[in-house]
């Protein structure tokens, strides 16, 4: 997936997913960590390239990835 907007724009899109979490700056990329104790899903975004990647349990990612793709411009 690709997202070439600003961090603030991405944060607004992710908020629409309704998945509580928090953002962490990880050097070259930004990471959204879901707060649910029973998940290991993370959303990584590299602003320079626009690459957007969900990582974690594949079974949990499917629905979230589809919802995120639907929100992306």
């Amino acid at each position: 997936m690709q997202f070439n907007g600003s961090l603030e724009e991405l944060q607004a899109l992710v908020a629409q997913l309704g998945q509580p979490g928090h953002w962490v700056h990880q050097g070259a990329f930004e990471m959204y960590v879901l707060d649910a104790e029973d998940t290991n899903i993370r959303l990584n975004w590299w602003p320079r390239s626009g690459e957007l990647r969900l990582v974690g349990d594949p079974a949990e990612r499917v629905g979230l990835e589809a919802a995120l793709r639907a929100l992306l411009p």
Side-chain angles (χ1 to χ4, degrees):
M1 290 182 285
Q2 288 288 123
F3 180 78
N4 294 312
S6 69
L7 175 59
E8 292 78 18
E9 291 169 326
L10 181 58
Q11 289 171 332
L13 286 176
V14 170
Q16 293 179 51
L17 294 172
Q19 298 287 327
H22 60 279
W23 287 92
V24 179
H25 177 70
Q26 292 291 327
F29 68 97
E30 303 293 333
M31 179 171 59
Y32 186 71
V33 180
L34 272 64
D35 287 339
E37 292 181 17
D38 60 343
T39 188
N40 66 349
I41 299 294
R42 308 285 186 265
L43 175 65
N44 297 330
W45 178 58
W46 288 263
R48 294 186 85 174
S49 67
E51 181 179 354
L52 191 61
R53 186 183 313 161
L54 275 170
V55 296
D57 184 344
E60 292 182 41
R61 285 194 325 242
V62 174
L64 191 57
E65 186 170 340
L68 183 57
R69 283 184 188 277
L71 292 173
L72 291 174

